[in-house]
Amino acid sequence: MAENGEISITLNDLKKLNSYRDLEKVIGNKHADASRIIQTIEYEHELEQLQIELLKAQQWIRETGQRVAILFEGRDAAGKGGTIRRFTQHLNPRSIRIVALPAPSSVEKGQWYFQRYIQRLPNPGEMVFFDRSWYNRAVVEPVNGFCSQVQYQQFMQQVPEFEHMLYEDGVILIKFWFSISKDEQLKRFESRKENPLKQWKLSPVDAKAQDLWDEYTRYKEEMFNRTHTSYSPWIIVKANSKKKARNESIRHVLNTLPYPEKEHTDIEIYPNPDVVTRYHRQIRQLDE
């Protein structure tokens, strides 16, 4: 037992385990949740196998000069940043980038809206992960009054054309929306307040997110209706479970990229349809 009262299990202990009952004996504490520990071990093992496949996909991207852009969108505290960290944890840093832009400068505000994002699109052989993207203007900005209605409508008209140009030029664009419930968002906000290592994540926008929940819903649904296309579809990830969201979104990317030998892998790379689905217009009230 560790000094703080937590259970301490060594690597040698884990190597000796052959069954659930063995784990219970090692834990030696009736208050410990053995099933949760097993689930965590299984999640970590599965994640490692998926990350190995990501390395194979990255090698294919580098060798063939592919350009891959993956957009992570969703409400505040939906788990976008944590998922990106699992994507990139073991990838070669020389051919990936994470883009998480701050508020635009005074100069950038006078530019064409897409200009600062174009500069950060992937080069040949590169994967770029956008922790929020140009879709700030579709939801966050109009909800919080950071853009005018004229700017918003102009963006909504231009974005399908912009993404069609990327598609025609050969850019592989994957758009994720991480979907969480209102109660789950509140729980994560409270967790951030209590954790000094996560307090930096809280912002004035976060503070208003619960009060503006319905406004976010309205603009989000309008975004889906007007920007979901055959060449640039929205992929919905049910993210109330962070672990499932992480692994299943990795599976979706692996399933999308036509890298060689993926049919012969030992791990399932087709995402669970109960967690990851392609948006369709019959869906109503996501994040509920």
Side-chain angles (χ1 to χ4, degrees):
M1 186 76 69
E3 291 182 3
N4 60 1
E6 294 182 355
I7 298 167
S8 177
I9 301 176
T10 68
L11 183 59
N12 285 332
D13 290 331
L14 292 177
K15 287 180 178 178
K16 296 175 184 177
L17 301 182
N18 293 310
S19 68
Y20 182 92
R21 182 166 295 179
D22 288 344
L23 179 59
E24 288 183 321
K25 289 179 181 178
V26 170
I27 291 173
N29 185 334
K30 293 181 181 179
H31 298 293
D33 189 343
S35 62
R36 174 176 261 178
I37 294 174
I38 290 174
Q39 289 172 5
T40 299
I41 293 171
E42 291 175 344
Y43 156 73
E44 293 288 351
H45 174 72
E46 184 179 75
L47 175 61
E48 182 180 77
Q49 297 303 304
L50 292 169
Q51 289 172 331
I52 290 172
E53 290 302 306
L54 277 174
L55 283 166
K56 296 178 186 178
Q58 184 185 36
Q59 184 65 23
W60 169 76
I61 290 167
R62 294 177 66 190
E63 290 177 351
T64 59
Q66 302 294 325
R67 292 167 292 162
V68 180
I70 307 178
L71 277 51
F72 291 80
E73 296 290 341
R75 296 181 189 266
D76 299 312
K80 302 178 291 296
T83 302
I84 292 173
R85 284 195 295 277
R86 273 65 180 188
F87 264 94
T88 61
Q89 187 174 7
H90 298 292
L91 294 178
N92 185 336
R94 295 182 181 88
S95 55
I96 64 167
R97 281 183 288 122
I98 298 174
V99 177
L101 297 182
S105 66
S106 57
V107 172
E108 289 172 328
K109 288 179 180 178
Q111 296 172 346
W112 180 42
Y113 179 75
F114 293 97
Q115 187 167 334
R116 70 177 187 149
Y117 293 103
I118 288 174
Q119 298 173 29
R120 293 163 174 86
L121 288 170
N123 297 312
E126 240 186 358
M127 298 176 73
V128 176
F129 299 83
F130 286 87
D131 189 349
R132 294 198 183 278
S133 66
W134 46 86
Y135 279 102
N136 272 337
R137 180 142 292 181
V139 181
V140 175
E141 290 191 15
V143 168
N144 291 278
F146 298 154
C147 70
S148 68
Q149 276 297 307
V150 171
Q151 290 172 319
Y152 165 75
Q153 292 296 343
Q154 184 180 55
F155 169 83
M156 296 297 284
Q157 180 180 351
Q158 290 181 350
V159 67
E161 300 171 5
F162 171 66
E163 291 176 358
H164 192 257
M165 286 190 288
L166 297 179
Y167 168 77
E168 286 189 320
D169 203 56
V171 175
I172 298 174
L173 181 63
I174 298 173
K175 303 191 305 192
F176 282 126
W177 177 271
F178 278 61
S179 174
I180 59 172
S181 67
K182 189 175 184 180
D183 288 344
E184 180 63 24
Q185 185 189 59
L186 180 59
K187 284 169 53 180
R188 294 183 186 182
F189 283 160
E190 293 300 325
S191 174
R192 289 179 177 183
K193 290 177 184 177
E194 297 170 2
N195 188 338
L197 296 176
K198 293 183 177 182
Q199 287 173 1
W200 64 271
K201 294 184 176 183
L202 292 170
S203 70
V205 172
D206 293 339
K208 298 188 294 183
Q210 287 271 297
D211 292 337
L212 295 173
W213 182 270
D214 291 340
E215 276 295 282
Y216 274 100
T217 297
R218 182 168 70 86
Y219 276 99
K220 173 205 61 178
E221 292 179 350
E222 184 71 5
M223 177 189 73
F224 288 148
N225 284 330
R226 295 176 63 178
T227 66
H228 174 78
T229 61
S230 59
Y231 53 84
S232 183
W234 278 104
I235 305 302
I236 312 301
V237 181
K238 294 181 180 178
N240 275 358
S241 168
K242 291 181 179 180
K243 292 175 181 177
K244 289 181 181 179
R246 292 164 184 167
N247 284 7
E248 297 305 323
S249 58
I250 293 175
R251 278 195 172 92
H252 175 79
V253 170
L254 294 173
N255 189 58
T256 299
L257 299 177
Y259 68 96
E261 302 301 322
K262 71 177 184 179
E263 295 84 0
H264 306 298
T265 183
D266 292 332
I267 190 166
E268 177 61 63
I269 61 172
Y270 188 83
N272 183 343
D274 291 332
V275 180
V276 175
T277 57
R278 182 183 173 112
Y279 173 77
H280 56 84
R281 287 175 173 80
Q282 285 71 33
I283 293 178
R284 286 292 178 268
Q285 294 301 315
L286 291 167
D287 300 338
E288 297 297 341

